[in-house]
Amino acid sequence: MSFQKEFEERTGYRFQDKKLLVQALTHSSRANERHLGRQAANERLEFLGDAVLELVTSDFLYQEYPDKPEGELTRLRASIVCEPTLAFCTRELDLGQYLLLGKGEEMTGGRKRDSILSDAMEAVIGAIYLDGGLASAKEFIHRFVLNDLGHKQLFFDSKTILQEIVQGNYSEELHYELIRAEGPDHGKKFVVEARIGDAAYGEGEGRSKKAAEQEAAYHTLLQLKQQGVLGDGGNVCI
């Protein structure tokens, strides 16, 4: 099975124009390395997909939360379509393994870089929109971006939520400890551990300390959920 067909199996969408899918998965580093020209990379599709994603997300939030004012809807939309959350959404698709990268990006961990993953997700949305129209793009967005928003909110608000939980339930303070930094300067990976007092909880990794801390907070919240510290309602429902 070709990698394109395998990716279609994961998404549940069959492209009529397979070239659009290849373009959506082609990073500029690959296009430059193979002298394919900028049109072969996914940047234009990313531009289009970003607009489609914002429209579909705005419509979803408007219908889903009729009592929320404009400011809250705007903040919620921004947290859904931001780089870390979109990169998080690509995990279900394992999008990174299907990307066409240049050798340099491949060697420096581009398949796991949030910026590349989120851009590719928007490019895939743009490609589906061109290939199958707004209805097809909307179905994809609802399935892979807007599904299980409570869980995603736990991720994109993880540090804030965890801070509030610790302040309300513990006498010790929350802090993040850098465990190690791996790789060359241009491709470092940071590993961070969340601690409540002296007790170690979730561990996270990322291309920046901030990203690693966010993931550590997220895994800590999952642990606290299992321990019954988090309730089943409100903003921390998962």
Side-chain angles (χ1 to χ4, degrees):
M1 183 184 296
S2 69
F3 84 97
Q4 293 103 326
K5 189 172 182 180
E6 187 177 311
F7 185 71
E8 286 180 322
E9 292 286 337
R10 283 184 175 270
T11 64
Y13 179 79
R14 299 287 186 277
F15 279 84
Q16 299 176 60
D17 184 353
K18 305 297 184 185
K19 292 179 180 178
L20 280 171
L21 175 57
V22 173
Q23 183 183 354
L25 298 175
T26 301
H27 188 255
S28 57
S29 61
R30 173 82 163 216
N32 294 337
E33 186 179 271
R34 303 211 168 185
H35 308 291
L36 301 175
R38 296 186 66 85
Q39 301 297 327
N42 63 10
E43 292 169 339
R44 282 171 53 84
L45 287 175
E46 173 205 335
F47 163 79
L48 180 60
D50 174 66
V52 175
L53 174 62
E54 186 155 317
L55 171 62
V56 172
T57 302
S58 299
D59 176 68
F60 173 82
L61 295 176
Y62 184 87
Q63 304 296 338
E64 191 75 8
Y65 302 107
D67 298 325
K68 283 189 182 294
E70 178 266 346
E72 284 188 40
L73 293 175
T74 299
R75 285 191 293 273
L76 184 53
R77 181 183 63 195
S79 64
I80 292 170
V81 304
C82 70
E83 181 181 296
T85 305
L86 281 183
F88 180 77
C89 293
T90 68
R91 296 180 183 185
E92 187 177 349
L93 291 166
D94 201 6
L95 179 58
Q97 75 163 323
Y98 299 102
L99 297 179
L100 299 171
L101 302 175
K103 292 179 181 178
E105 284 293 348
E106 183 78 62
M107 292 175 63
T108 56
R111 293 190 185 279
K112 294 184 178 180
R113 187 167 293 128
D114 281 2
S115 59
I116 291 178
L117 289 170
S118 62
D119 289 351
M121 187 68 158
E122 290 177 338
V124 168
I125 291 169
I128 292 174
Y129 171 76
L130 288 178
D131 191 72
L134 182 59
S136 295
K138 183 177 180 179
E139 184 178 344
F140 176 87
I141 292 167
H142 275 253
R143 180 177 176 185
F144 294 106
V145 179
L146 299 176
N147 66 318
D148 198 5
L149 270 189
H151 197 169
K152 289 188 171 71
Q153 186 176 358
L154 192 72
F155 173 75
F156 59 65
D157 282 342
S158 57
K159 291 183 70 175
T160 301
I161 293 172
L162 180 57
Q163 184 66 48
E164 292 173 354
I165 293 294
V166 171
Q167 288 177 346
N169 294 273
Y170 295 86
S171 58
E172 301 93 341
E173 291 188 357
L174 168 68
H175 63 280
Y176 297 92
E177 187 169 317
L178 179 64
I179 304 300
R180 60 185 180 276
E182 306 169 342
D185 289 341
H186 59 273
K188 267 203 186 316
K189 180 179 76 173
F190 297 91
V191 180
V192 167
E193 188 174 64
R195 290 177 171 267
I196 302 174
D198 294 328
Y201 282 82
E203 189 174 288
E205 65 177 56
R207 295 291 161 185
S208 68
K209 291 179 183 178
K210 183 178 179 181
E213 288 175 359
Q214 181 179 20
E215 185 152 308
Y218 170 68
H219 287 301
T220 299
L221 287 170
L222 295 183
Q223 288 183 32
L224 296 179
K225 177 71 174 179
Q226 290 180 337
Q227 295 171 12
V229 177
L230 277 68
D232 290 324
N235 290 335
V236 295
C237 178
I238 58 174

